[in-house]
Amino acid sequence: MPRKESAFAVTADMEIYIPLEGVIDISKEMDRLNKQLKNVSSDLDAKNKKLSNRNFMEKADPEVVEEQKRLKEELSFKLEKIERARKLLEG
């Protein structure tokens, strides 16, 4: 179970927590997570816009549309995990 003051990383398949109490600067870790959150949110917004674009959906190859949907799901997963890590660090 993840706990407060842990470093956090996420991939498409897993999330990794490393207890770092007394080892790292928690405020720097929060800054890193906030930057990641901003980037993932921006990427997710772009995927949502693309997938809600009727022109794209009608003209793109089905494989491309499916890939965009898969990437959107991956980004949603990452966003959820980053938000969870932030909450853990906040206490």
Side-chain angles (χ1 to χ4, degrees):
M1 175 76 170
R3 62 184 197 158
K4 185 178 176 186
E5 299 181 347
S6 294
F8 169 79
V10 65
T11 69
D13 301 321
M14 72 178 85
E15 54 190 84
I16 302 164
Y17 294 89
I18 303 169
L20 296 174
E21 186 173 2
V23 177
I24 67 162
D25 184 332
I26 300 301
S27 66
K28 286 183 182 178
E29 181 65 10
M30 282 296 287
D31 289 344
R32 185 185 73 80
L33 288 172
N34 287 334
K35 183 178 178 181
Q36 236 184 351
L37 183 69
K38 182 179 176 183
N39 290 337
V40 172
S41 292
S42 177
D43 291 347
L44 183 58
D45 287 345
K47 293 293 178 223
N48 283 328
K49 285 179 185 176
K50 184 178 274 189
L51 290 169
S52 66
N53 180 324
R54 177 182 282 171
N55 195 33
F56 170 77
M57 296 299 286
E58 290 174 357
K59 293 183 178 183
D61 290 334
E63 298 85 21
V64 173
V65 172
E66 286 306 311
E67 176 68 8
Q68 292 301 305
K69 287 179 180 180
R70 186 191 64 74
L71 291 171
K72 177 187 169 190
E73 288 176 20
E74 189 176 301
L75 289 167
S76 294
F77 174 80
K78 285 182 180 181
L79 187 65
E80 178 184 315
K81 299 306 176 186
I82 293 167
E83 289 172 342
R84 182 174 169 202
R86 287 179 65 233
K87 287 179 184 176
L88 285 171
L89 283 177
E90 291 171 347

